[in-house]
Amino acid sequence: MYWVASASEYLVITGVGIADIKIAKKGWVLPGQSCAVFDVSPVNYTFEVQAMSAEKLPFILPAVFTIGPKVDDDESLHKYAKLISPHDKLSNHVKELVQGIIEGETRVLAASMTMEEIFRGTKEFKGEVFEKVQLELNQFGLLIYNANVKQLVDVPGHEYFSYLGQKTQMEAANQAKIDVSEARMKGEIGSKSREGQTLQNAAKIDAETKIIATQRQGEGKKEEIRVRTQVKVYENEREAEVAEANSELAKKKAGWTKEAEVAQVEAAKSVALREAELQREVERMNALTRTEKLKAEFLSKASVEYETKVQEANWELYSKQKAAEAVLYEKEKEAEAQKAIAEASFYSRQQLADAEFYAKKREAEALMALAQAQGTYLRTLLEALGGNYAALRDYMMINNGVFQQVAKANADAIKGLQPKISIWTSGGEGGDGSRSGTGNAMKDVAGVYRMLPPLFKTVEEQTGMLPPAWMGSLTDSSSQTNPK
């Protein structure tokens, strides 16, 4: 039979007289030969690849790849005819094969780049993904005709790009406010400068001219000092940023080296595991072949019994192998879960530390700006008061209500005091008012003793303290005074 393929199709012929396969657009199909037709038109594959950047930030990369066989390469057509053409191009098998290659290469490349590098270098990122995926598709005889990488999309729960857009908007709004303030400041400064120039031009005395010249020189030196200070501060900030960038680069290089070494070890282990599986499959096929030969040679009961024992042994070996594989799979999944938990914990602590550092930095900047504003305010007041520090101090105390607070504190200090005043007498002199010798001395001693009870009573009322026991105790009668 004579077969003819359409414009977008090829014939693949196998059978008698053909060592491997034969690909042609038309030809005779002889008895003992088989012919199949496969389509070589490219197909669009749409994927949403979930990947993670070097900073452990997840994102979604929507992409559309147009993939088909290399029609201008005979070797690629042979590979495609052997490996892909038996399956439908739109089947899940082919789609999963292509998707696995694209996702694997995209994730490996994204893990070696920061989110900023991916976002700003979308063209370079697309080119690298295109090249790496094409290298993997060559072994299947496939060619990428077109690759369209769409805009990066946030993963639900990780709104990195949304926050980035909000940050840009806030920065633009804040810059506009700063520009308006600067324009207003320049207008006020210009107005004041014109008024000053008018007053200066009206001055006719040489002494005033010399004073103005001296003031201008002082302002120039002050401005020069201020500019030098700002330049020095800017240079220190840049040096700090460079040191921080170098430290961050060193950390990222260490992380990339670690990921590359882990990937190499995983690749080596995967190759070894695959070789072991293929070797086991070869041994199983060899065992089956030997069993078939024995079945053909022995038709007796002994052959049947031997085959039964072989099948039982194979079943027992298969059961043990499956059990071992299940245990191995469980251990691998546990290790992966522990690794994911550790990475999530590390990322959470890192984000908390970054947020605390940013808050402390903003608080320090706010305090610095407040201190600068207060210093400028005080210098302005001092200049307005003619350099009189005493007048500045009095103004600040009045403005801040210090005198009112001192007066209130003094009033609160004496508020509620209830002083007690005791009036007592130690007794009078004789009726005739005369004093003489021993009688007057005894009266003085008696007066001292009469003074003690009222004194102790006053101390008790004011402080709550009692006299010692050896001096006696107070009674109502002893605490009474004898007014004259």
Side-chain angles (χ1 to χ4, degrees):
M1 182 181 293
Y2 191 76
W3 287 64
V4 178
S6 62
S8 61
E9 295 177 343
Y10 275 89
L11 303 176
V12 55
I13 305 172
T14 60
V16 178
I18 300 175
D20 188 9
I21 61 173
K22 177 183 177 182
I23 297 177
K25 295 290 289 185
K26 56 186 178 180
W28 288 97
V29 179
L30 304 178
Q33 295 180 348
S34 176
C35 181
V37 180
F38 64 91
D39 191 2
V40 295
S41 58
V43 179
N44 289 331
Y45 296 97
T46 303
F47 306 106
E48 287 189 356
V49 182
Q50 290 192 4
M52 186 175 292
S53 66
E55 305 100 324
K56 303 297 186 296
L57 295 175
F59 63 92
I60 297 176
L61 180 67
V64 180
F65 285 81
T66 303
I67 300 175
K70 295 181 181 180
V71 296
D72 55 350
D73 187 2
D74 294 338
E75 183 180 357
S76 298
L77 276 178
H78 279 72
K79 291 180 181 179
Y80 179 81
K82 292 179 182 179
L83 302 175
I84 304 299
S85 64
H87 306 280
D88 185 6
K89 292 187 295 183
L90 301 177
S91 65
N92 290 333
H93 175 76
V94 178
K95 185 175 181 180
E96 290 176 357
L97 175 65
V98 176
Q99 184 176 2
I101 295 173
I102 295 173
E103 288 183 351
E105 297 300 330
T106 302
R107 287 171 180 166
V108 170
L109 182 59
S112 64
M113 301 175 66
T114 62
M115 185 66 76
E116 190 69 18
E117 292 174 351
I118 296 173
F119 187 75
R120 294 186 180 277
T122 305
K123 184 176 181 181
E124 292 76 7
F125 180 73
K126 171 185 173 182
E128 292 187 16
V129 171
F130 186 94
E131 293 176 359
K132 293 182 179 297
V133 172
Q134 183 60 60
L135 289 176
E136 295 295 329
L137 293 178
N138 287 337
Q139 58 186 337
F140 299 101
L142 295 174
L143 174 66
I144 301 176
Y145 287 92
N146 183 35
N148 183 17
V149 178
K150 299 181 181 179
Q151 190 68 30
L152 301 179
V153 180
D154 284 324
V155 175
H158 299 273
E159 290 75 14
Y160 174 78
F161 297 109
S162 299
Y163 293 153
L164 194 61
Q166 294 176 7
K167 176 185 176 184
T168 304
Q169 293 178 359
M170 292 301 295
E171 289 178 351
N174 293 334
Q175 186 61 39
K177 293 179 181 179
I178 292 172
D179 294 340
V180 171
S181 299
E182 289 182 352
R184 185 181 293 109
M185 178 186 68
K186 290 180 180 179
E188 293 178 357
I189 292 174
S191 176
K192 296 296 182 180
S193 177
R194 293 296 183 273
E195 292 177 0
Q197 290 177 359
T198 302
L199 295 175
Q200 293 167 12
N201 292 331
K204 298 180 181 179
I205 303 173
D206 294 339
E208 292 180 357
T209 303
K210 292 180 181 180
I211 292 173
I212 292 172
T214 304
Q215 291 177 350
R216 288 293 178 269
Q217 291 177 358
E219 290 176 357
K221 291 181 179 179
K222 185 188 298 183
E223 183 67 19
E224 182 179 358
I225 293 172
R226 186 182 66 82
V227 171
R228 289 179 180 176
T229 304
Q230 292 179 352
V231 170
K232 187 64 177 177
V233 171
Y234 179 77
E235 290 176 352
N236 293 336
E237 291 178 353
R238 296 288 79 78
E239 290 177 357
E241 292 177 357
V242 170
E244 183 179 358
N246 291 332
S247 175
E248 187 68 20
L249 178 60
K251 292 180 180 179
K252 291 182 179 180
K253 286 184 178 179
W256 296 337
T257 303
K258 179 181 177 181
E259 292 177 358
E261 292 177 354
V262 171
Q264 291 177 358
V265 173
E266 290 179 351
K269 295 298 182 182
S270 299
V271 172
L273 182 61
R274 183 58 179 167
E275 289 179 354
E277 291 177 353
L278 293 175
Q279 184 64 28
R280 186 177 61 186
E281 185 68 20
V282 170
E283 292 176 357
R284 189 177 68 83
M285 294 302 295
N286 292 335
L288 291 176
T289 303
R290 289 194 297 270
T291 303
E292 292 297 330
K293 288 182 179 180
L294 291 174
K295 287 173 64 178
E297 293 176 358
F298 302 99
L299 300 176
S300 62
K301 182 179 180 180
S303 176
V304 175
E305 291 178 356
Y306 176 76
E307 181 182 353
T308 303
K309 292 180 180 180
V310 170
Q311 292 295 334
E312 290 178 355
N314 289 336
W315 170 252
E316 184 178 358
L317 176 61
Y318 178 76
S319 300
K320 292 181 179 180
Q321 290 176 347
K322 288 300 181 182
E325 290 176 358
V327 173
L328 177 61
Y329 179 77
E330 183 178 359
K331 295 296 183 181
E332 290 177 351
K333 289 301 180 182
E334 290 179 356
E336 292 177 358
Q338 292 177 357
K339 181 180 179 182
I341 292 173
E343 290 179 352
S345 178
F346 173 76
Y347 175 74
S348 177
R349 291 196 297 270
Q350 184 180 11
Q351 291 298 106
L352 289 175
D354 292 342
E356 183 177 359
F357 172 75
Y358 181 76
K360 293 294 184 182
K361 182 179 178 183
R362 298 301 298 175
E363 182 179 357
E365 292 176 354
L367 291 175
M368 184 180 295
L370 178 60
Q372 292 177 353
Q374 291 178 349
T376 303
Y377 174 68
L378 292 176
R379 285 194 300 270
T380 304
L381 286 177
L382 185 62
E383 292 177 359
L385 295 173
N388 190 343
Y389 287 97
L392 175 63
R393 181 196 59 199
D394 295 341
Y395 174 79
M396 293 301 297
M397 292 179 69
I398 294 171
N399 191 33
N400 294 326
V402 176
F403 290 120
Q404 294 87 334
Q405 294 177 3
V406 171
K408 183 178 179 182
N410 293 333
D412 293 339
I414 62 174
K415 182 179 181 181
L417 291 181
Q418 298 179 358
K420 295 183 178 181
I421 302 173
S422 299
I423 301 173
W424 52 273
T425 179
S426 60
E429 299 177 352
D432 55 359
S434 64
R435 295 185 178 181
S436 64
T438 305
N440 293 333
M442 294 303 295
K443 288 181 180 180
D444 292 336
V445 174
V448 172
Y449 278 97
R450 290 191 191 100
M451 177 185 68
L452 293 178
L455 177 62
F456 291 155
K457 184 63 176 177
T458 302
V459 172
E460 179 184 2
E461 290 177 354
Q462 296 295 333
T463 64
M465 298 176 62
L466 295 174
W470 59 268
M471 294 185 66
S473 60
L474 296 176
T475 61
D476 293 339
S477 61
S478 63
S479 62
Q480 294 177 355
T481 59
N482 184 20
K484 182 71 177 180

